[in-house]
Amino acid sequence: MKVKVNFEFDLEGLVEANKDHILLKGRNNEDIINELKDLFEGDLNRGISNYCENMFVLEFGDIFNY
């Protein structure tokens, strides 16, 4: 059985909530979001979804035989 998981991130909210992180400190939200767009080749929906899927496999692959 396969389960489809849909989720939605408030990207600006996540960036704002993590402004104290050493990699984000002193940077404005627009610059951070533009850098994420570059990192994911302009498609944040696909890029972040693929990243989350890869992280799931990395963390839980052995447990779930994913």
Side-chain angles (χ1 to χ4, degrees):
M1 175 168 86
K2 290 189 178 188
V3 176
K4 183 175 176 100
V5 177
N6 292 314
F7 57 90
E8 193 171 285
F9 284 128
D10 171 10
L11 194 54
E12 284 138 347
L14 286 170
V15 169
E16 193 60 40
N18 291 286
K19 289 298 265 190
D20 289 338
H21 190 280
I22 192 165
L23 296 175
L24 305 180
K25 212 167 201 169
R27 300 176 63 193
N28 70 48
N29 292 6
E30 188 177 335
D31 287 344
I32 295 166
I33 290 172
N34 284 334
E35 188 171 326
L36 287 170
K37 286 179 184 174
D38 288 343
L39 181 67
F40 293 119
E41 299 174 351
D43 189 346
L44 290 176
N45 288 317
R46 188 185 65 174
I48 291 176
S49 293
N50 289 346
Y51 176 79
C52 289
E53 181 179 357
N54 291 338
M55 289 289 90
F56 179 86
V57 171
L58 188 66
E59 293 292 323
F60 300 108
D62 290 341
I63 295 169
F64 295 111
N65 295 319
Y66 188 74

